[in-house]
């Protein structure tokens, strides 16, 4: 571990694992062996990071979240309070299915709202926004705003998190002024 890491005395960190500089691990959390946590992350209270989970830099994990084996979060991801990941689609207590774990990728800058459920094997695109309580049962494209059970796309968001309003497949964020185009259901940033 890097010397500039804060780990609350009530938390457990199993070895080996990697925890980057500037990361904070708060009360009653458990970082399991072979996980990798980037720089400047914030791991809230009562969080479990399972073996082989990868968290990029500047990932915020709010209280009461379990990030299970098979999950990778790219840089700048926000995991809201009590959001849920799964890693097996048909769990049974009496059957060991560790060889059946499915991968879930949460793209750079994505937000997952409080109490959302992410069914394993589905990717969440860059800068996507998963509303509180949503249930993810399919891949979510970049910049999509999704809500409900099962989740549906109800709009699009800028990388700053503001909802975009498209006129003739073009939008300018009212907050940060980034420009986007919508092509075949996919958002692209207009590079100047």
């Amino acid at each position: 571990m890097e010397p500039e890491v804060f780990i609350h005395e009530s938390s457990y960190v199993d070895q080996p694992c990697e925890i980057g500089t500037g990361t904070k691990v708060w009360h009653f959390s458990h970082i399991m062996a072979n996980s990798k946590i980037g720089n400047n992350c914030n791991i809230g209270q009562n969080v479990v990071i399972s073996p082989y989970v990868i968290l990029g830099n500047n990932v915020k994990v709010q209280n009461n979240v379990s990030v299970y084996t098979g999950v990778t979060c790219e840089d700048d991801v926000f995991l809201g309070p009590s959001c849920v990941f799964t890693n097996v689609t048909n769990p049974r207590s009496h059957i060991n299915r560790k060889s059946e774990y499915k991968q879930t990728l949460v793209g750079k800058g994505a937000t997952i709202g409080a109490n959302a459920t992410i069914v394993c094997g589905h990717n969440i695109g860059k800068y996507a926004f998963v509303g509180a309580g949503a249930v993810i049962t399919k891949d979510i494209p970049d910049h999509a705003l999704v809500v409900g059970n099962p989740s549906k796309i109800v709009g699009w968001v800028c990388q700053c998190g503001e909802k975009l309003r498209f006129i003739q497949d073009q939008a300018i964020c009212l907050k940060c002024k980034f420009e986007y185009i919508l092509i075949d259901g996919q958002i692209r940033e207009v590079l100047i």
Side-chain angles (χ1 to χ4, degrees):
M1 283 188 296
E2 299 292 331
E4 297 173 24
V5 171
F6 170 80
I7 299 178
H8 190 272
E9 64 185 20
S10 64
S11 289
Y12 290 94
V13 177
D14 299 339
Q15 296 299 326
C17 72
E18 293 179 40
I19 300 178
T21 300
T23 290
K24 294 180 173 115
V25 178
W26 294 99
H27 307 72
F28 312 114
S29 291
H30 186 183
I31 310 302
M32 298 176 88
N34 300 307
S35 57
K36 182 178 178 183
I37 300 172
N39 299 325
N40 302 311
C41 292
N42 192 64
I43 309 300
Q45 178 178 303
N46 195 36
V47 168
V48 174
I49 306 295
S50 291
Y52 304 104
V53 163
I54 299 172
L55 302 181
N57 297 319
N58 198 40
V59 172
K60 306 293 187 254
V61 183
Q62 299 301 98
N63 297 345
N64 306 312
V65 175
S66 293
V67 186
Y68 294 120
T69 301
V71 175
T72 297
C73 295
E74 294 182 342
D75 294 347
D76 305 319
V77 165
F78 179 90
L79 303 179
S82 302
C83 72
V84 175
F85 289 93
T86 69
N87 59 9
V88 173
T89 56
N90 59 343
R92 294 287 195 201
S93 177
H94 64 283
I95 300 172
N96 183 332
R97 292 210 158 109
K98 290 182 180 179
S99 65
E100 298 175 30
Y101 285 172
K102 294 193 176 191
Q103 303 298 304
T104 298
L105 175 67
V106 182
K108 177 179 173 58
T111 292
I112 298 176
N115 295 304
T117 299
I118 313 304
V119 176
C120 60
H122 303 293
N123 296 325
I124 297 171
K126 293 177 182 177
Y127 304 108
F129 199 110
V130 175
V135 178
I136 303 302
T137 59
K138 60 185 175 184
D139 288 351
I140 304 301
D142 295 352
H143 296 277
L145 171 61
V146 298
V147 298
N149 178 10
S151 64
K152 317 184 226 192
I153 297 173
V154 296
W156 305 95
V157 292
C158 177
Q159 69 178 11
C160 76
E162 290 294 309
K163 189 170 182 182
L164 296 170
R165 290 173 181 37
F166 280 87
I167 300 170
Q168 297 179 357
D169 295 333
Q170 296 183 348
I172 298 174
C173 178
L174 297 176
K175 188 160 206 141
C176 70
K177 308 301 182 205
F178 279 22
E179 296 182 36
Y180 297 90
I181 56 173
L182 181 60
I183 301 172
D184 297 325
Q186 298 290 319
I187 297 290
R188 300 284 181 251
E189 186 177 332
V190 177
L191 301 175
I192 302 172

